[in-house]
Amino acid sequence: MTPARLWLQVFMAGFAIIAALLIVTLITPIPYGDLSRIGQVSEYEFGWRREPPHVDHALLQATPIPEADILVIGDSFSATHRWQSVLKRAGHRFATVYWSDFHETLCDDFDAWLDRAGFKGKLVVIESVERLLAGRLASTRQCTAMRHPPTSRPGPLFESPEHVPGFALNGSAKLTSGYITYRNTRAAKQSAGPVMLGPRTWSRPVPDGCAMFSHRLCDQALFFKDDDDNGELTTAHVEQMRAFSKAHPARSIMWMVIPNKTTTYLAPDHSKEFVTAFAEAGLGPDLFAFARQQKARMQDFYFPNDTHLSMHGQLALGEAMLRAVVAAAADPIENEDF
């Protein structure tokens, strides 16, 4: 075989491999869930198929902080403004600021910080997902002064798809992502137990999963590794929250702790001591019990391919928060911690 012929065969083999990788990647569904994106698994198997509820975009628009009666301090679970839209529909004016805007911590000058922002409302809702609350409270204990005044965006920080995403060529992905997605998805489908997909995504069996999720591989779902790694909340965290509320009496403070997806579907006793103490302290609604109820009542309460609540779950959460706000306003003595 001549050198030219050998070179041509090597070139054609390499071209065929690259072409095959490109075709596989192009036809691999574009990921729209954070866990399917991080874990590189197929949305064909893990993508939700239940059409999301549609919310009037006017209800998603926040009020400027000086005009709001409720200020939400939240994380990504508040970023779509979907649960807040229920408050607005009921006549409440909300503004939302995010932990990430002020380095994930609240400080000793919290009341003065709100005064500088012009907030004249009576209620502050402090929202945090379970897995991040301990770190935020630890930072808060050591912080004396807020660095930046709170700023509120008029619209959502993040927009979830308004329809089940359809097929589109995946032209912006890396050349090998289609093959990796195929390999990881096959591993998930072939495993009878938990399997780690990438560094931070679990695929885990879910008891009665097909009643709870709409995706094709519904006997299992994707879960965030950080849910396990960040540990449990304890009664000490409840005491820190109570102390913070008492130290800042200028406005009512309602704590809003959203359970991890893993806690909701697979580990109901996770942070059990915290949940009991939190309910007894009256610092806010028991969203752990709420999540346990909703996961059985609603398909896709959490997204199967994401660590967050679905838009169905967000609206149900909004109804729960509206009930808590109304109850706190109707009985200020019993709910003085609010």
Side-chain angles (χ1 to χ4, degrees):
M1 181 182 298
T2 65
R5 186 176 180 83
L6 176 62
W7 178 90
L8 180 61
Q9 288 182 345
V10 171
F11 172 81
M12 292 303 296
F15 178 81
I17 292 172
I18 292 173
L21 289 172
L22 177 61
I23 291 172
V24 171
T25 294
L26 285 173
I27 63 175
T28 297
I30 299 171
Y32 54 91
D34 59 7
L35 293 178
S36 52
R37 174 180 53 82
I38 296 170
Q40 289 189 266
V41 292
S42 176
E43 295 289 19
Y44 179 81
E45 297 292 352
F46 285 99
W48 41 271
R49 297 189 293 166
R50 186 183 178 204
E51 191 71 7
H54 298 289
V55 178
D56 185 344
H57 279 208
L59 295 175
L60 303 178
Q61 298 303 303
T63 300
I65 291 176
E67 301 170 22
D69 51 57
I70 297 176
L71 179 68
V72 177
I73 297 172
D75 51 31
S76 56
F77 281 78
S78 296
T80 66
H81 283 187
R82 288 308 191 279
W83 74 259
Q84 298 97 308
S85 73
V86 179
L87 301 182
K88 185 167 183 176
R89 190 180 62 210
H92 297 282
R93 296 168 298 173
F94 77 88
T96 302
V97 298
Y98 299 98
W99 288 95
S100 56
D101 291 340
F102 40 87
H103 305 286
E104 303 282 326
T105 185
L106 302 173
C107 305
D108 292 346
D109 65 340
F110 180 69
D111 290 329
W113 180 67
L114 294 179
D115 290 338
R116 291 194 298 271
F119 179 59
K120 304 177 183 64
K122 300 296 184 182
L123 177 64
V124 177
V125 176
I126 303 178
E127 177 268 310
S128 176
V129 67
E130 175 190 356
R131 65 175 174 272
L132 296 178
L133 181 59
R136 288 165 173 163
L137 290 173
S139 297
T140 292
R141 292 183 65 184
Q142 303 169 13
C143 184
T144 57
M146 305 292 288
R147 297 184 182 181
H148 305 290
T151 56
S152 175
R153 296 167 178 82
L157 182 64
F158 172 75
E159 285 287 358
S160 181
E162 294 194 350
H163 299 279
V164 178
F167 176 77
L169 290 176
N170 194 1
S172 62
K174 293 181 179 180
L175 181 65
T176 57
S177 66
Y179 168 72
I180 294 172
T181 298
Y182 165 76
R183 183 190 64 192
N184 288 349
T185 304
R186 182 179 64 180
K189 293 176 71 173
Q190 292 179 345
S191 176
V195 57
M196 180 64 73
L197 306 170
R200 300 176 74 185
T201 301
W202 282 105
S203 175
R204 285 170 162 162
V206 178
D208 203 21
C210 291
M212 299 182 186
F213 293 111
S214 67
H215 62 293
R216 288 180 174 85
L217 198 62
C218 54
D219 59 346
Q220 55 186 288
L222 303 179
F223 296 90
F224 198 28
K225 183 174 180 286
D226 288 17
D227 288 356
D228 306 320
D229 293 348
N230 287 13
E232 296 191 46
L233 296 173
T234 68
T235 55
H237 296 118
V238 175
E239 291 307 314
Q240 292 177 40
M241 296 159 75
R242 191 206 300 267
F244 183 86
S245 296
K246 289 187 177 298
H248 301 93
R251 300 164 183 87
S252 296
I253 295 177
M254 179 182 293
W255 292 85
M256 179 183 178
V257 185
I258 299 176
N260 298 334
K261 182 180 179 182
T262 304
T263 300
T264 299
Y265 289 94
L266 300 178
D269 288 337
H270 198 256
S271 299
K272 184 177 180 179
E273 291 183 1
F274 168 86
V275 174
T276 301
F278 182 81
E280 292 174 350
L283 296 172
D286 182 357
L287 298 180
F288 287 71
F290 162 78
R292 288 194 299 271
Q293 295 166 356
Q294 292 299 319
K295 73 171 184 180
R297 295 176 181 173
M298 176 187 302
Q299 201 176 42
D300 293 348
F301 175 57
Y302 281 73
F303 285 125
N305 60 351
D306 200 295
T307 193
H308 296 93
L309 294 167
S310 73
M311 296 305 100
H312 296 281
Q314 284 271 338
L315 293 184
L317 177 63
E319 295 291 347
M321 290 306 300
L322 178 60
R323 290 191 295 271
V325 168
V326 171
D331 197 352
I333 297 177
E334 181 176 343
N335 295 283
E336 60 184 358
D337 285 328
F338 286 13

